């Protein structure tokens, strides 16, 4: 086994709120988390993004101490906590369905964390009042969770988690249970709360809009592994793997083989034709390698010039209009599907059924260079 | 979807068969029982004058009063023992047995003995508890005791032992249900709020299972109060509780005295149930989930 034996010889960095060092978690034959490493700076907003079953929630539960990783190390605030139980970690957690205690009033519930810290009664009462006020739920103080609406429950859960001022707040799909209309407001509020308090947020979601609009750092996971981590812009503009490119909206993904190299470009043969890509700096692709690459839907154009070296013809099958964007869906006989986004309120130029020449610039083409940590 | 509305004529008609049945086998016999318990005079007939004489006679007898006290004390002991034991078993089944197959197997192992009647199960204890019984043989073979312990059979201890085995699952059953309906996230949330496992139990798990505990206690209370068979078989002729008194009076054709004891027994049970419902509103069970 390539056991990592908790590589703690590396000096712990106290400026990090959280550090994961190659954590692994298996359930029988199923690997839920595989070699996940992550560094979260002080006060960072991190989103773990991925399809269901990708291991993002298990990773979060390992940080909380609700699961113990089979391998690897977890450091919170520079202190190794891998084997520590949840109640000894400087974290708080917000659960997907909020996990409010059904037998406790809102006030009791919110004060629970302080009670556990053995704070004096008067101080608890005062802090609870403050926090209830801050979260605008003072009128609910004597109610029990059973009589609260979804939005109210969400606030109570948040207040309950935040009152102890943890170093890290873990949020498992925190707005997934809310009405769609509420989500945007709540997202904004949470982002502002995070910036104001400077508490690190680790936010698990399968919704890329949430992840990209909230996260300072977005971590895309698939099949128990991290596929790519970076800012929203890095992930959207330079997807590292075919999975990431396909998972985030608006990418056209191609698979093919390298048939030619030059000092500054690669030539890739696909079923949809021959395309040219900028030669990557960090790796050296070899002739004959199977590769994938992508181009964003908004980088494609139907008004071609000499500079558009990458071209193909395709038949339009559908046009969707979203107000600011007109998205065209194309299909080719070889099965390749293509999305082409046109911005602005131009009149539609392409109608379904039409076959059109499309193209894009070489430098708009992104080679997937594999999982980049 | 049901199309029969609450309080519609159809809903009342649907309740008629059950209501007639209950009237015939529960309400009418109880009314008769209460009526008979007030019959005075010398002749046993509906023409008898109604008096409190039968009750006065019961309360004048110190032996009966003591017996009532013993019955209550015995029932409380059993409630305490089965309560603690039942909670432990339920907690083990739900929280510690992770595999559903094992949980089912263990649960069945606990439940299957209940397929036989209480009487049979009570009698089944006799060969265990007797002077030459299994328990004594075992104790002697491992050298724990030289001569057999006679205290097991035909003794109060024996009755308690047998009844604990008979009624523990009644205390455990409702707790199993309540425990398994607690979302694991609740305990996890408490842990992330810095509660230690013991505190999680004290503040989250136990309060949420309290209705189950109370229901279990009510079941044990009612069953032990009315269980004359175990007391008769395990206790022999030496021990009796209130319920045995009913039988005793009945067998000696003292029907009025028997109904007095029966009515008093019912009043005790009613009071017990009312107290239990004061503690936990069973009707609102699960309403907050």
């Amino acid at each position: 086994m390539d056991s990592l034996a908790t590589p703690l010889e590396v000096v712990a960095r106290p400026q990090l709120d959280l550090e994961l060092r190659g954590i692994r978690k298996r359930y029988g034959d199923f690997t839920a988390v595989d070699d996940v490493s992550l560094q979260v700076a002080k006060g960072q907003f991190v989103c773990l993004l991925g399809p269901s079953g990708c291991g993002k929630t298990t990773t979060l539960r390992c940080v909380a101490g609700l699961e113990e990783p089979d391998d690897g190390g977890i450091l919170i605030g520079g202190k190794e906590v891998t084997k520590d139980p949840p109640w000894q970690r400087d974290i708080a957690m917000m659960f997907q369905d909020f996990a409010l205690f059904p037998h406790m009033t809102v006030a009791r519930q919110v004060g629970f964390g302080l009670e556990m810290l053995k704070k004096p009664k008067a101080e608890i009462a005062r802090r609870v009042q403050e926090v209830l006020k801050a979260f605008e739920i003072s009128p609910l103080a004597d109610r029990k969770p059973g009589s609260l609406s979804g939005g109210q429950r969400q606030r109570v859960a948040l207040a309950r988690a935040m009152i102890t001022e943890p170093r890290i707040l873990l949020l498992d799909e925190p707005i997934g249970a809310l009405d769609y209309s509420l989500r945007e407001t709540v997202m904004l509020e949470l982002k502002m709360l995070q910036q104001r308090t400077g508490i690190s947020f680790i936010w698990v979601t399968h919704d890329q809009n949430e992840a990209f609009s909230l996260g300072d750092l977005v971590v895309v996971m698939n099949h128990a592994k991290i596929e790519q981590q970076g800012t929203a812009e890095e992930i959207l503009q330079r997807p590292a793997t075919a999975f990431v490119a396909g998972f985030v909206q608006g990418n056209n993904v191609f698979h093919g083989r390298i048939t030619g190299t030059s000092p500054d470009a690669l030539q890739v043969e696909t079923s949809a034709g021959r395309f040219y890509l900028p030669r990557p700096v960090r790796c050296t692709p070899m002739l004959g390698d199977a590769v994938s690459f992508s181009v964003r839907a908004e980088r494609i154009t139907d008004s071609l010039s000499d500079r558009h070296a990458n071209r193909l013809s395709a038949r339009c099958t559908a046009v969707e209009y979203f107000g600011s964007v007109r998205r065209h869906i194309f299909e080719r006989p070889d099965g390749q599907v293509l999305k082409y986004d046109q911005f602005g309120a131009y009149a539609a130029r392409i109608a379904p059924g039409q076959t059109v020449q499309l193209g894009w610039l070489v430098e708009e083409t992104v080679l997937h260079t594999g999982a980049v940590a | 979807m049901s199309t029969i509305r609450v309080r519609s004529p159809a809903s009342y008609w649907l309740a008629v068969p059950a209501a007639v049945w209950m009237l015939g086998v529960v309400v009418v016999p109880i009314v008769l029982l209460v009526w008979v318990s007030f019959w005075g005079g010398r002749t046993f007939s509906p023409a008898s004058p109604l008096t409190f004489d039968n009750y006065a006679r019961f309360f004048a007898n110190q032996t009966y009063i003591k017996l009532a006290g013993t019955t209550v004390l015995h029932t409380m002991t059993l409630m305490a023992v089965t309560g603690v034991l039942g909670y432990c078993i339920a907690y083990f089944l739900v929280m510690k047995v992770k595999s559903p197959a094992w949980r089912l197997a263990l649960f069945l192992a606990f439940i299957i003995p209940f397929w036989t009647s209480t009487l049979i199960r009570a009698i089944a204890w006799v060969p265990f508890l007797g002077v030459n019984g299994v328990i004594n043989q075992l104790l002697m073979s491992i050298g724990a005791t030289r001569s057999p312990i006679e205290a097991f059979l035909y003794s109060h201890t024996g009755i308690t032992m047998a009844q604990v085995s008979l009624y523990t699952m009644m205390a455990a059953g409702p707790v199993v249900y309540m425990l398994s309906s607690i979302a694991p996230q609740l305990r996890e949330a408490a842990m992330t709020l810095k509660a230690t496992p013991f505190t999680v139990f004290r503040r989250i798990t136990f309060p949420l299972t309290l209705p189950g505990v109370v229901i279990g206690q009510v079941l044990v209370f009612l069953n032990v109060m009315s269980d004359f068979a175990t007391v008769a078989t395990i206790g022999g002729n030496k021990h009796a509780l209130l319920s045995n008194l009913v039988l005793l009076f009945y067998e000696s054709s003292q029907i009025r005295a028997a109904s007095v004891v029966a009515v008093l027994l019912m009043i005790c049970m009613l009071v017990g149930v009312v107290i239990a419902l004061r503690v936990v509103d069973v009707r609102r069970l699960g309403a907050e989930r």
Side-chain angles (χ1 to χ4, degrees), chain A residues 159-180:
Chain A
R160 186 180 72 174
M162 291 291 285
I163 198 165
T164 55
E165 293 170 348
R167 184 183 285 269
I168 308 172
L169 180 65
L170 309 168
L171 306 102
D172 188 3
E173 309 254 0
I175 61 173
L178 295 185
D179 283 346
Y180 200 75

Side-chain angles (χ1 to χ4, degrees), chain B residues 14 19 58 69 101 125 145 153 157 166-167 172-173 208 215 247 278 285:
Chain B
L14 280 171
F58 179 89
W125 271 95
T145 169
L153 194 57
T157 319
L166 294 181
Y167 300 125
L208 288 175
I215 293 171
L247 193 67
R278 283 269 149 154
L285 256 187

Side-chain angles (χ1 to χ4, degrees), chain A residues 121-269:
Chain A
K121 275 207 164 75
E123 189 193 329
I124 295 177
R126 186 177 53 77
R127 285 282 294 139
V128 167
Q129 286 239 315
E130 282 171 19
V131 171
L132 290 182
K133 197 155 173 250
F135 285 92
E136 295 167 17
I137 45 177
S138 301
L140 309 177
D142 298 323
R143 303 249 300 261
K144 286 192 180 172
S147 67
L148 303 182
S149 73
Q152 289 169 335
R153 282 156 182 260
Q154 192 264 351
R155 279 165 186 278
V156 174
L158 190 63
R160 186 180 72 174
M162 291 291 285
I163 198 165
T164 55
E165 293 170 348
R167 184 183 285 269
I168 308 172
L169 180 65
L170 309 168
L171 306 102
D172 188 3
E173 309 254 0
I175 61 173
L178 295 185
D179 283 346
Y180 200 75
S181 55
L182 259 179
R183 288 188 197 177
E184 210 136 314
T185 336
V186 173
M187 254 164 70
L188 197 69
E189 279 178 8
L190 283 169
K191 179 80 186 175
M192 274 157 48
L193 178 73
Q194 191 269 335
Q195 285 172 344
R196 199 167 62 239
T197 56
I199 293 172
S200 281
F201 276 29
I202 314 242
W203 175 298
V204 160
T205 180
H206 62 264
D207 183 330
Q208 49 187 293
N209 292 329
E210 271 173 38
F212 291 134
S213 55
L214 290 172
D216 301 325
L217 177 70
V218 178
V219 180
V220 185
M221 289 186 71
N222 187 36
H223 291 316
K225 284 179 190 279
I226 293 181
E227 291 269 336
Q228 187 175 7
Q229 50 179 298
T231 63
E233 201 153 349
E234 277 164 11
I235 287 168
L236 285 166
Q237 299 300 331
R238 308 211 67 80
T241 65
F243 169 78
V244 175
F247 184 72
V248 304
Q249 278 163 21
N251 273 313
N252 294 300
V253 185
F254 295 83
H255 296 269
R257 242 165 231 296
I258 299 177
T259 50
T261 59
S262 75
D264 55 352
L266 297 174
Q267 177 190 300
V268 178
E269 198 77 41

Side-chain angles (χ1 to χ4, degrees), chain A residues 61 66 87 89 91 95 97 99-104 108 115-116 144 160, chain B residues 185-186 188-197 199 203-204 207-208 288:
Chain A
R61 291 172 60 82
L66 298 170
W87 56 91
R89 299 187 181 199
I91 51 106
F95 290 77
D97 52 5
L100 298 179
F101 307 134
H103 57 302
M104 285 188 205
R108 203 74 205 273
E115 241 183 280
M116 294 301 109
K144 286 192 180 172
R160 186 180 72 174
Chain B
Q185 296 95 282
L186 294 186
E188 292 176 352
M191 283 195 273
T192 60
L193 291 166
K194 313 285 172 282
T196 56
T199 311
R203 296 291 307 275
I204 310 295
L208 288 175
E288 286 177 326

